[in-house]
Amino acid sequence: MSGGGLGERQLVARVAAGDESALARVYDQYSALVFGVAVQLVGDHATAGDVCQEVFVTLWQRPDRFDPDRGSLRTWLAVLARRRSIDVLRQRGRRASREERGAPGSVACAPPDIEEAAAAMLEGERLRRALAELPAEQRTAVELAFLDGLTHREIAARLQLPEGTVKSRVRLGLARLARLLRPEGSVAAS
Amino acid sequence: MSAERDLGGWALDALDDVEQAEIDALLDRDPDLARTAGELQRVVAVLSEPLSTPPPVGLRRDVLTAARAAGQPARAAVDPIEVYAAQAGDLADALAAVGPEEWDAPVAAYGWTLERLAAHAVAVERHFLELVTSPDLRVAVDEPDHIALGGGDAPVDPATWAGLAQEVLHALRTLPAEALAREVVFNGLPMRLDTLCVVRGFELWTHADDVRVARGLPVVDPEPGVLRTMSDRAVRGLPSLLLLAGIVPPAAVARVVLTGAGGGTWDVDLDLEAEAGGEAPAPPTTTVVADVVDFCRLVSSRLRPDELDAEVEGDEALARDLLVGAQGIAM
């Protein structure tokens, strides 16, 4: 598993030492990712901004929660943004569909289809190919969890499938993507 | 099998709270499973990349303001007297562990033997004891060369030094609080008594490491609370230390970032004319980032400025001056 590089470790060490300029640097590097993850799930800029603020304040106050041996700072921030955003959704008590979040009158941006969004990225060709290789049922399950923030139970209810089947499809889909998106030359965990 | 099947949902936050907590606990215990889970989380981050969206322009300011307002957990710092106590205990233990056949071992930093180092330590401690037990916190004669050379080559019982340190500690702990803020002169240098306790702490730590290295043992870092107080005094003293080093401190602000447990960040107004508590300091002209233990070894003259692994942003010449000046605290 790739860990944080020396640059990331030093940057977070500076944040831990109370260096505000280091926090600003982290924000400048990763705010688009954090904000984008939040907007996709919560559906509006104002709430996404609140989530973004929570994520970076968490890094400021608890930099010890980032373990560079477990993954990169980018991954950690993206995961934290997802978790905070999903917490917001759960507090709201409902999960709007992607179509509802893009409805007129809501301050939202139209959430991109994941394949279309990937296609927009210069570096997304590999991602697009990997997604296209997933069996349809795995891709659907992963998308519902990833893009709509649904739980296994909610996906099972929507697709009218046993929860165990959903768990397997999500697990297998992500594992397949992990193999397909593995950095060149690295060895995957079993 | 069930836990393995839940890893995808864990990485995607598709579990309910109970399941999430169960998997979190499992991953803390199972490094192989944690590695697999981490790979899946990495995939989620890669899937997230296309979603990157520039945030509103004002959000940066809001985030940094919120972080500043939220603050960070307080960094534990040890009282200056306890810095002396901690490092005195360390040196006492180090000296007590020296075997009869080891007293001739060379101390590289001085070109002395361990025996000579112990004699020096006793001489300095006697001088310090004289200062802290005198009614007006003055010594009769303050001759740095005499103190440094110490009591010659006569064998020294480590217990003698330990006993002196205990007497010093007792005297310090029974002084009235205001006495610690008084200016004293030691080794030719004027400074507050509480700062002198920290300076002595630096010296005792350094000599304990000298003993360890002479005996072929690894060096030992002070506790984070001690490091915090030592580094804090050293950094805050930089304007005066620059002057001692013959460098006129510029009207500039230096940011010192010391990483690791016991570290911190300081914006130091180097302008000696600047009023304490006056206007907020200007943005730093130079930023020096280093490990807190390495910085303290520099301060103790056990690391040269060119040996310090420091990151510098801004005025490099000023940063070099700061590192040279920081060594002024060493005795």
Side-chain angles (χ1 to χ4, degrees), chain A residues 33 71-80, chain B residues 38 41-43 45-46:
Chain A
L33 172 66
S72 70
L73 183 57
R74 174 178 298 275
T75 296
W76 188 78
L77 289 169
V79 166
L80 192 56
Chain B
Q41 268 191 340
R42 186 184 64 79
V43 172
V46 171

Side-chain angles (χ1 to χ4, degrees), chain B residues 144-158:
Chain B
D145 286 345
H146 169 78
I147 296 162
L149 291 172
D153 294 307
V156 167
D157 181 354

Side-chain angles (χ1 to χ4, degrees), chain B residues 61-132:
Chain B
R61 179 200 59 236
D62 292 344
V63 165
L64 298 180
T65 300
R68 192 175 298 130
Q72 293 186 317
R75 291 178 173 76
V78 166
D79 180 89
I81 294 178
E82 301 314 312
V83 170
Y84 174 85
Q87 301 317 126
D90 184 28
L91 180 56
D93 290 344
L95 288 172
V98 177
E101 70 289 355
E102 293 181 297
W103 288 105
D104 287 338
V107 177
Y110 295 109
W112 292 347
T113 60
L114 274 180
E115 193 148 57
R116 174 74 136 178
L117 177 68
H120 159 77
V122 165
V124 177
E125 226 55 50
R126 281 206 175 105
H127 195 65
F128 192 35
L129 179 62
E130 182 187 347
L131 180 119
V132 298

Side-chain angles (χ1 to χ4, degrees), chain A residues 45-180:
Chain A
H45 278 209
T47 309
D50 291 342
V51 169
C52 200
Q53 185 169 297
E54 256 197 81
V55 167
F56 287 102
V57 171
T58 297
L59 174 64
W60 179 246
Q61 291 195 300
R62 295 298 309 277
D64 56 303
R65 289 178 58 184
F66 167 62
D67 182 353
D69 293 327
R70 278 205 172 182
S72 70
L73 183 57
R74 174 178 298 275
T75 296
W76 188 78
L77 289 169
V79 166
L80 192 56
R82 275 192 62 81
R83 287 197 172 169
R84 288 289 182 266
S85 300
I86 288 173
D87 285 345
V88 168
L89 291 178
R90 290 178 182 177
Q91 282 163 16
R92 282 180 185 167
R94 70 179 190 91
R95 310 293 184 91
S97 69
R98 269 169 273 166
E99 291 73 25
E100 286 173 333
R101 289 201 296 271
S106 69
V107 183
C109 44
D113 175 88
I114 194 168
E115 195 173 38
E116 285 175 7
M121 277 178 68
L122 288 176
E123 301 86 9
E125 178 57 25
R126 192 164 164 246
L127 178 56
R128 193 190 63 78
R129 278 203 310 269
L131 287 164
E133 285 197 40
L134 286 187
E137 67 272 14
Q138 289 178 11
R139 185 180 159 172
T140 299
V142 169
E143 277 191 355
L144 286 173
F146 177 74
L147 288 175
D148 291 343
L150 300 190
T151 63
H152 284 146
R153 200 158 293 148
E154 289 166 337
I155 296 169
R158 185 171 293 193
L159 299 179
Q160 296 186 314
L161 290 170
E163 196 175 327
T165 302
V166 169
K167 288 185 177 186
S168 294
R169 289 183 182 182
V170 168
R171 169 75 175 96
L172 290 170
L174 268 192
R176 192 162 187 152
L177 285 172
R179 284 193 302 277
L180 293 168

